Amino acid sequence: MLLFTEGLSSQREIIAEIKTLFPSLFVVSTHSQERPEIHEFSDSTEAEPKNADLRLAFLRDIISKYGIKLIHAGKHTLWYEAHRNSIESLGVTLVTGVSDVEMFEIADSKIRFAQLMKQHRLPVVPSIEITDADQLEAELKSRPFGNDALYCVKPVKGIYGMGFWKLADDIPAARCFYDTDSRMVNTKVFLHAMKQSNDFKPLVLMPYLDGPERSVDMVVKQGVVIKAVARVKNGSYQTFEESGPAIDLAIACASILKADGIVNVQTRNAPDGSPVLLEINPRPSGGIGYLGHSGISLPALFVQTYLDIRPAVSATDHLLPNIKVRPLTQAIIV
């Protein structure tokens, strides 16, 4: 029995794929809100308490009711890690994406993440933590990454590219309002907005790298990568890779952070064509559903790794542990 606690929308594709390859595996999912579109493929769903103080008792009841053996925690990672011993004492394996609170906090901070990767001599995009608008203005004037670089910012903490902007002096002041997909904003407009804010949230200032982006989805167990597949993003198109320097870099990153579960590492190519690390997400990526087109099922491999059971689809048996549903293709996802 497998329990998925409150998670992001990509949980739907994960559960659907697991049920396709393990039809007899009973899957329970929970959420604090009504989310039928996420839980469509679950065998049973339960409403989570919104009060965190009630969560442990709720989990105890769910584990007893359904005979749960494995819990994949979606949100509230810090809470789950803080209560790991109590939860696992109930006879279950807990998977949160990380192995301890410290590694989650490093992964959650793009600045701390970059510092740790540099300590281990892994290439990472240069970054400066910005704590107020005046500092941002001063750094932009000093051009720490060179005069020819395009500069960009994003929140120190955040997901899905929320708050990411490329800064340019020579674009129309209103462009960010009518061309949001470009993620371009006039530098003066951005600085003015930040100076008006009474709640400035720390930013990361970086050079913008326009080389291909790779989103490396992985199944990892206590820092050991079982399988990794990269989605190569070129504009609106995505293709897939099973090997290469970006995957090697992502594997090293996951090992250092002792990642655990279904996780994602983002890389970009530097001007010389070599990959550099952007961040690690200790959770399934929003685009993990695209991997169905690659012929490799990471959700199924997750189940096999943590529950030690094999998928019911006999055609995949000779391809384990990769668990391919069809040969890897250079599928183009628009």
Side-chain angles (χ1 to χ4, degrees):
M1 304 296 184
L2 170 58
L3 169 63
F4 285 91
T5 68
E6 181 171 7
L8 303 170
S9 59
S10 60
Q11 192 179 82
R12 179 181 187 274
E13 283 70 35
I14 294 171
I15 295 173
E17 197 160 323
I18 288 173
K19 287 301 297 181
T20 297
L21 292 172
F22 299 87
S24 62
L25 178 63
F26 197 88
V27 177
V28 182
S29 58
T30 63
H31 208 286
S32 61
Q33 303 174 36
E34 289 289 332
R35 297 299 299 271
E37 79 285 5
I38 293 180
H39 303 306
E40 176 183 356
F41 298 101
S42 302
D43 294 296
S44 184
T45 63
E46 299 279 352
E48 288 189 16
K50 295 184 179 181
N51 185 340
D53 293 337
L54 303 176
R55 193 175 290 143
L56 190 57
F58 170 78
L59 285 173
R60 186 180 296 110
D61 291 344
I62 294 296
I63 291 167
S64 175
K65 179 178 179 179
Y66 295 105
I68 299 297
K69 297 301 180 184
L70 174 64
I71 297 177
H72 182 281
K75 297 182 179 180
H76 315 302
T77 302
L78 283 176
W79 184 91
Y80 279 95
E81 278 301 323
H83 293 82
R84 176 179 287 277
N85 290 340
S86 297
I87 294 170
E88 292 195 327
S89 71
L90 300 174
V92 300
T93 299
L94 174 65
V95 176
T96 67
V98 294
S99 300
D100 56 52
V101 169
E102 176 69 9
M103 286 305 172
F104 173 80
E105 291 179 340
I106 290 174
D108 196 40
S109 168
K110 296 173 180 63
I111 293 294
R112 292 189 65 188
F113 170 76
Q115 291 170 342
L116 180 62
M117 294 302 105
K118 287 172 67 177
Q119 289 175 16
H120 286 269
R121 301 184 183 278
L122 295 187
V124 64
V125 62
S127 58
I128 298 173
E129 184 172 11
I130 303 297
T131 57
D132 58 56
D134 290 336
Q135 181 195 0
L136 176 60
E137 184 174 36
E139 294 287 1
L140 289 171
K141 285 181 179 178
S142 70
R143 310 295 292 179
F145 307 124
N147 292 328
D148 296 330
L150 176 64
Y151 286 66
C152 63
V153 295
K154 60 182 177 181
V156 170
K157 297 184 178 182
I159 63 173
Y160 291 159
M162 296 174 66
F164 170 76
W165 290 99
K166 293 175 281 186
L167 308 176
D169 298 334
D170 57 353
I171 62 172
R175 175 170 175 173
C176 60
F177 300 110
Y178 60 74
D179 186 15
T180 56
D181 288 344
S182 71
R183 295 286 187 169
M184 294 285 293
V185 61
N186 182 280
T187 305
K188 290 182 179 179
V189 169
F190 189 81
L191 282 170
H192 176 75
M194 292 299 101
K195 288 181 178 180
Q196 304 308 306
S197 173
N198 294 321
D199 184 26
F200 188 97
K201 291 182 173 56
L203 296 171
V204 182
L205 177 66
M206 305 176 297
Y208 177 72
L209 303 178
D210 60 2
E213 178 182 347
R214 283 170 171 80
S215 183
V216 185
D217 294 308
M218 297 180 283
V219 172
V220 192
K221 188 170 185 180
Q222 297 177 351
V224 178
V225 175
I226 310 301
K227 183 65 180 176
V229 182
R231 288 179 286 113
V232 187
K233 301 179 181 179
N234 285 290
S236 299
Y237 299 92
Q238 296 189 30
T239 55
F240 304 95
E241 293 177 347
E242 285 188 279
S243 62
I247 289 181
D248 294 341
L249 183 58
I251 289 173
C253 171
S255 176
I256 290 168
L257 283 164
K258 296 187 175 77
D260 190 56
I262 305 175
V263 305
N264 172 264
V265 172
Q266 302 280 334
T267 74
R268 278 268 189 179
N269 279 12
D272 65 1
S274 63
V276 297
L277 290 166
L278 292 177
E279 61 185 358
I280 185 171
N281 300 302
R283 54 172 174 76
S285 68
I288 193 170
Y290 292 141
L291 281 182
H293 298 277
S294 77
I296 296 174
S297 174
L298 291 187
L301 186 55
F302 167 75
V303 169
Q304 179 181 303
T305 300
Y306 284 88
L307 287 177
D308 195 26
I309 57 176
R310 298 170 70 85
V313 180
S314 60
T316 68
D317 287 349
H318 68 288
L319 293 167
L320 299 177
N322 287 351
I323 306 189
K324 294 188 179 183
V325 181
R326 64 187 73 84
L328 182 74
T329 62
Q330 288 298 310
I332 297 178
I333 309 301
V334 181

